Amino acid sequence: RPCSVCERDPATCGLIPSQTKYLYICVFLCFVLIGDITQKGYEKKQAKLLAPFVPQTQSKTHHTDFLSAYFPPSLDPTSNPNAVPVAAPRQHRAHRSGGTRDDRYRSDIHTEAVQAALARHKEEKMALPMPTKRRSAFVQPPAENCTPPDTSSASEDEGSLRRRQAAISAMLAQNLQSPEYWINRSVQSSSTSSSASSTLSHGDGKTHNHNQGQTSVLADVLAHTRIESSSIPPDVTSTVPQDRNSRVDLPPNITVRGMSRGQSRSSMMDTAGGVPAHSRVSTKIQQLLNTLKRPKRPPLSEFFLDDFEEIVEVPQPDPNTPRPEGRQMIPVKGEPLGVVSNWPPALQAALARWGATQAKSPALTALDITGKPLYTLTYGKLWSRSLKLAYTLLNKLGTKNEPVLKPGDRVALVYPNSDPGMFWVAFYGCLLAEVIPVPIEVPLSRKDAGSQQIGFLLGSCGVGLALTSEVCLKGLPKTQNGEIMQFKGWPRLKWVVTDTKYLTKPSKDWQPLLPTANTDTAYIEYKASKEGTVMGVAVSKISMLTHCQALTQACNYCEGETLVNVLDFKKDSGLWHGVLTSVMNRIHTISVPYSVMKACPLSWVQRVHVHKARVALVKCRDLHWAMMAHRDQKDTNLSSLRMLIVADGANPWSVSSCDAFLNVFQSHGLTPEMICPCASSPEAMTVAIRRPGAQGTPLPARAVLSMAGLSHGVIRVNTEDKNSALTVQDVGHVMPGALMCIVKPDGPPMLCKTDEIGEIVLNSRAGGTMYYGLPGVTKNTFEVIPVNSGGTPIGEVPFKRTGLLGFVGPGSLVFVVGKIEGLLSVSGRRHNADDLVATALAVEPVKTIYRGRIAVFSVTVFYDERVVIVAEQRPDANEEDSFQWMSRVLQAIDSIHQVGLYCLALVPANTLPKTPLGGIHVSETKQHFLEGSLHPCNILMCPHTCVTNLPKPRQKQPVGVGPASIMVGNLVAGKRIAQASGRDLGLIDDQEQSRKHQFLSEALQWRAQTDPDQVLYMLLNAKGVAVSTATCSQLHKRAEKITAALLERGGINTGDNVVLLYPPGIDLIASFYGCLYAGCIPVTVRPPHSQNLAATLPTVRMIIDVSKAACILTTQTLMKILRSKEAAGCVNVKTWPNIIDTDDLPRKRPSNIYKPPTAEMLAYLDFSVSTTGMLTGVKISHSAVNALCRSIKLQCELYSSRQIAICMDPYCGLGFVLWCMSSVYSGHQSILIPPMELETSLPLWLSTLSQYKIRDTFCSYSVMELCTKGLGTQTEALKARGVNLSCVRSCVIIAEERPRLALTQSFSKLFKDLGLSPRAVSTAFGARVNLAICLQGTAGPDPSTVYVDMKSLRHDRVRLVERGAPQSLPLMESGTILPGVRVIIVNPETRGPLGDSHLGEIWVNSPHNASGYYSIYGEESLQGDHFNTRLSFGDTETHWARTGYLGFVRRTELLDARGDRHDALFVVGSLDETLELRGLRYHPIDIETSVSRAHRSIAESAVFTWTNLLVVVVELSGSEQEALDLVPLVTNVVLKEHHLIVGVVVIVDPGVIPINSRGEKQRMHLRDSFLADQLDPIYVAYNM
């Protein structure tokens, strides 16, 4: 809490005398440890504590100190269930989960800045829609079930950045309770099971008058968004006028198979085409639109002008961008490296010397888990054991003639951090044997984060042998046989145990070589790159020695000193100071392992005190923990120290840890001169270090830099805006004997100007020499020659890149502001990941974030880097707090860093991959994010704010271009008009009796007389047995009986409509002809599903009502269902028309069979649900039936001797024609396979084709998909059963959509082994206005496939490209155009013909066009438009029918039956389903194809738009914890491949996306269900 008088943090407040500060901190920590203290209680305690001091106000100048509330594990009760907080009374041993803030990033200045930034949003009363989550999903495990708590956070250097200060200002607390805060309480609409809180609401629940006012205002806004007449919602996000040619939209909101629950129109308040007025989803979408309407920052200059082809435009520079103005920097030289007479010629020589002359002198003390000394290794012991190991390695591992190891071989050193002694012996043993040690981390499991990359390192270094200790070997994961597990990506290793008892004493005549240091590799240190690859930096013997000499000189090391090392001794400063330089100078090292620090954070301070150590080697984390635990120890004294080396002092946020530690321990003998931050990198080793100062020398200065300047790579002292300042401390001077330059981080290594941030490069004999085994990468890093502004090299000497970003300040002091690996380059500006972590942590994370564990990285999406933040959520954090925190982090980062966040994800505690010392493994986290295996429990995507480089929206040209100019334009461009036609139907052939009959009823009678015993139909059951057959006479006689029943029981008049309600079979066919004989109009309807009446019966009822049916013909079973109680629950069963059951028919014949007076009379009605969810009935005349059957007969060469197999539903379209009419007309035999039989016997269809040697078969996509998914793995079994498909000449898929190329190709490939010809599979195409336009016949050429450019297709252009071209879309011809059919491609707006390079609506002219719609409520005017329309110019006489499908015609090189070049028709998609977004035309299937490829758990997807937002619905086939992984992946893929921003991502269960009988998605139904909140989604994400 801030000081109640001066509003500043208590630790820095000038009003509280210094002796009270310590007491205040103790009480503060006590409160935090006890648990959640109430606000009142807190204020009471505070007032009581401060009461004696408040009156004595004195003005003091205050210096910024820091108070921390980030506990090391020993002080955090979650890490040790038995730990008792020291200051807490015994009865308050309450548990507190580890949600404390990470103080490495803490600075009260920065926290104030964040609060000020958030306060700026106070005026915006904008409600952000909170994601909807199914309550059952994502139950977080309780804290105790988690893996052991982690002890560090955020960044790779686990412990460097400690500057964000705790006390969040009182202003924020008020804002949280104020309804005027940037997020207001928004309308709470219908609350259903899927979410209790529909929007994010701040506040404590108190009602305020003005709050109610706001609510009503928002309600008004929502009310005004209702749409009265149009079914197409207005575009509320753009100014482009909407002009979409909507064809027909039928009101009935019918329900189809596949819906999760039934819905009827009467139960909804009608607005906007069937969307309830107060729907929760609509409210949220409206809020989302409101947030999107907020003014964004001015977008960056557009990168892309998308006019036919994308042209990448060079962004125009902003004139206000700060630019470097200084002179070019001059390389900075370190002091010369002095030559000291007693420096050894090599490091091994130093060890030999001390081992012989100072054998009793202690070299290393190791500590046990409690922090007590465990053993001390003397220089004599170290020397003798290293000798033994060297001898054993060279002489005892193999035979004399075939040694396992030779000098120069690489060896892995695998030792735990708690065993420094074994490591020292192994390292020096390798040096003496002249083999090259490669220290690595101990692998704990096969799935260790980054273990695969360690395998890459071992492979690139050619490591075949690993040294380890016996204890460590026992702890390694084993296989069931007891062998050490083969770790992922690792080469095969031979393990050697180096415990003393296994080593051999060298023979008298053996002496190790102790040559003078040369350029041979001494050891290899591993280093992880930003991408996560692990490389080995090779350090030569001379570099190792020179580096030790430089450190000795810079740090002024003396013989016999004591050094306390808290760092990892395997790499970096821990190795350089604690293992190498210490031996060179005969220093006594006390090694404090990480496990001791976890148990006793103050242990290193105690070691300094006990051993009177002169030097301590720590990281910010260790300072921080010691400071937190320091109240346990009153008597520690640090005055013996002359140097406290802060190894990660290069981190810009380290300054706060140093200051805070000094503040606490100054009274214990610590002086400011002792603190020595240093900067280092694996490649260049130590870059710079602050030299230990003498008492009283002036302290180095601080730099307060502008973050905005830093993002542009320039140094500007921050004067105006204190909200975005970064304070950095120097890291001293460059190392002795080194030369330093600052070069530009991108492009050629050009020297920076003095006020410019760049990468530090170093020339020195000390430092790495190469990445071992990777010569290509080595050159770019180790052999850099800086150039001046003119591009000429500044000299011959090569420099090494350090990966550190910084500048040289006054007095040649080096300042570091970040690392290349933490650099995020977004839209030409640079941001440091650590700075973003610090800002996120300043937004009150205590309630939400677990132990301050946050990872920041960038991902490349749509030609730019996008910032992603992933944090661990506390197990007890609630949904609303988390969402609130996320929304505020967005604003804070936007305000302070001027960069938009792309994605913010929260994952359960302890689930982010860890580095060996417990930090977050950032590259592995990024990998999980991109693979979709992060499993977030909360996610917020904000693509709208940060993707500013989308192509410009297309402005449509006005339609007023004259027909003549279009014609001339096409002619000049050399384009032919896009039209095509099938063969002529030809004259009637007298030889074929059936053609004399104009009516199908006559054809059946004629066949019954001339060939009564010919079998026309055979129906198979699941076992492949023919359950019923129908000869010509049987069918005729049964039809007569049905006619008699109709006339007798039904009282039917000529022309009445009769509904046929049958399962697929011969009864359906007989009833059809019975109706024709009676002069009735048959209407086939799919029967309701007995298990799902609620969803299927309303559709049946609707068709019966719409068709005004006089009676229903059905079976006894279905009749019972129609009259059942269950049916009564869904529809009114008392008002059914007369129901006649045809199972028990009279043995009467009708007196006469009806013959229509003309062929133009109606034959039947064809009712179907279109893909847009519209129920349409079309009228089919007798002449159309005749022409269609004749056309099919010609195309497929059907004769009475032929057999075909049909496996599809027979209720509408071409499927019904093939099932019921074609055989009667052509006389061929049809084998009928109901698709539902395949559910019990998958191979039924294929085995039937094989058994009857069928040449032509017809099926639906659903059947093909079923076979592909179900039988794809069983081809061998089918082959063994004798299934052979080589007989199949054509397998035609009957559909009203674009051919599904991926499915047809999969089917062909899978069953190729069964003899299926790759040319056999083809598709048909029909529409409501014409049931069969294309059908692949026997005579035509094979269907052709073309690749079109998707970018052009969005502009309604057709540009063919090569296969595999980027953004190419494969399209297959929809079958050969049927005889007698003509098609033309027309502009749907101008109704003028188009050239063949354009996409347009397919119009059709044919004798079998339908006569019109049967009934469209109030839309009769559209009938003429659809069935009888003319071109606006060109051939204006011909009458055409509009199919409502977009496509194009291409002339191919193939020849047709007449020998002419073949014109192929390609169907692209339904015009009603296209999405008009950003002025471009998108086809849902293309976006869905991309989405389905995004993640293995996406079973199916569907897209639609609502108020110009793109909504993607995804069916999740995996576990629910994967649901949120899909949100960023879906957003990424749609942005990348289609240049669209997804507005809403809805994750649902499998089977929720409704499909019709042809297997087509019902997207409009899905839209209505979503908006009516009937999907029960697993998760709904609203992308901001």
Side-chain angles (χ1 to χ4, degrees), residues 42 68 109 358 430 522 525 702 775 907 1094 1144 1219 1336 1342 1573:
Y42 198 109
S68 297
I109 301 167
Q358 301 279 348
C430 288
E525 179 173 320
R702 300 269 165 89
V907 299
D1144 183 22
W1219 189 281
Q1336 190 64 33
D1342 290 341
D1573 203 22

Side-chain angles (χ1 to χ4, degrees), residues 513-540:
L513 290 169
L514 296 176
T516 305
N518 56 18
T519 54
D520 294 345
T521 302
Y523 71 93
I524 294 172
E525 179 173 320
Y526 80 84
K527 172 243 166 144
S529 71
K530 183 179 180 177
E531 290 73 40
T533 37
V534 176
M535 302 179 288
V537 178
V539 180
S540 69

Side-chain angles (χ1 to χ4, degrees), residues 1280-1557:
R1281 282 169 53 184
V1283 175
N1284 182 351
L1285 301 180
S1286 55
C1287 53
V1288 177
R1289 182 177 60 173
S1290 76
C1291 168
V1292 183
I1293 305 153
I1294 306 300
E1296 295 186 13
E1297 60 177 303
R1298 178 201 297 181
R1300 300 189 201 172
L1301 193 57
L1303 180 58
T1304 56
Q1305 285 178 343
S1306 303
F1307 182 80
S1308 299
K1309 280 179 190 162
L1310 282 172
F1311 299 109
K1312 186 177 70 178
D1313 292 350
L1314 299 180
L1316 182 68
S1317 159
R1319 300 165 55 185
V1321 181
S1322 62
T1323 64
F1325 170 63
R1328 293 280 70 209
V1329 296
N1330 185 316
L1331 303 182
I1333 296 167
C1334 301
L1335 179 64
Q1336 190 64 33
T1338 48
D1342 290 341
S1344 47
T1345 299
V1346 294
Y1347 292 84
V1348 297
D1349 178 57
M1350 279 174 83
K1351 295 195 296 290
S1352 307
L1353 213 55
R1354 291 172 201 147
H1355 290 263
D1356 293 339
R1357 300 265 196 312
V1358 178
R1359 186 166 72 96
L1360 298 191
V1361 292
E1362 290 303 312
R1363 180 181 179 178
Q1367 292 273 318
S1368 64
L1369 172 71
L1371 292 174
M1372 185 165 95
E1373 180 186 351
S1374 292
T1376 311
I1377 296 172
L1378 279 166
V1381 175
R1382 286 172 61 199
V1383 295
I1384 188 164
I1385 305 300
V1386 180
N1387 182 323
E1389 276 91 26
T1390 65
R1391 304 194 176 195
L1394 290 170
D1396 62 3
S1397 62
H1398 282 70
L1399 181 71
E1401 187 181 4
I1402 301 167
W1403 287 16
V1404 60
N1405 167 280
S1406 144
H1408 61 257
N1409 276 7
S1411 316
Y1413 288 126
Y1414 175 68
S1415 170
I1416 302 175
Y1417 303 104
E1419 300 281 359
E1420 282 78 8
S1421 59
L1422 281 175
Q1423 295 199 19
D1425 177 34
H1426 281 206
F1427 291 87
N1428 208 7
T1429 190
R1430 301 185 194 190
L1431 294 173
S1432 59
F1433 58 88
D1435 170 13
T1436 54
E1437 297 306 310
T1438 309
H1439 289 262
W1440 301 90
R1442 302 182 59 177
T1443 63
Y1445 283 85
L1446 293 172
F1448 61 93
V1449 168
R1450 268 294 150 134
R1451 178 153 279 183
T1452 64
E1453 297 303 315
L1454 304 167
L1455 300 179
D1456 61 20
R1458 295 169 303 208
D1460 300 332
R1461 280 174 65 191
H1462 171 63
D1463 290 320
L1465 174 66
F1466 294 90
V1467 176
V1468 177
S1470 161
L1471 180 63
D1472 274 0
E1473 292 221 319
T1474 56
L1475 313 174
E1476 293 258 352
L1477 292 163
R1478 312 187 78 253
L1480 302 171
R1481 197 193 296 280
Y1482 289 87
H1483 299 273
I1485 183 70
D1486 297 328
I1487 300 174
E1488 288 159 4
T1489 304
S1490 300
V1491 167
S1492 296
R1493 283 200 309 263
H1495 193 275
R1496 64 181 181 282
S1497 293
I1498 296 177
E1500 188 54 271
S1501 63
V1503 302
F1504 54 83
T1505 51
W1506 178 250
T1507 53
N1508 225 43
L1509 279 178
L1510 179 63
V1511 182
V1512 179
V1513 180
V1514 171
E1515 288 185 355
L1516 172 72
S1517 63
S1519 70
E1520 282 193 2
Q1521 67 168 4
E1522 288 182 309
L1524 277 73
D1525 284 313
L1526 306 183
V1527 177
L1529 296 184
V1530 166
T1531 308
N1532 290 0
V1533 77
V1534 175
L1535 191 52
K1536 179 183 164 194
E1537 296 184 12
H1538 303 279
H1539 311 173
L1540 289 175
I1541 293 177
V1542 177
V1544 185
V1545 182
V1546 187
I1547 315 287
V1548 295
D1549 297 310
V1552 168
I1553 295 172
I1555 54 171
N1556 65 15
S1557 59

Side-chain angles (χ1 to χ4, degrees), residues 45 47 63 278 286 430 490 622 667 769 978 983 1098 1114 1145 1158 1163 1203 1353 1364 1373 1435 1583-1584:
K45 300 261 186 197
H63 162 72
H278 287 294
Q286 194 55 47
C430 288
W490 282 37
D622 312 316
S667 55
T769 49
R983 292 183 289 164
T1114 186
L1145 289 171
T1158 71
Q1203 263 187 329
L1353 213 55
E1373 180 186 351
D1435 170 13
N1583 286 349
M1584 300 300 153

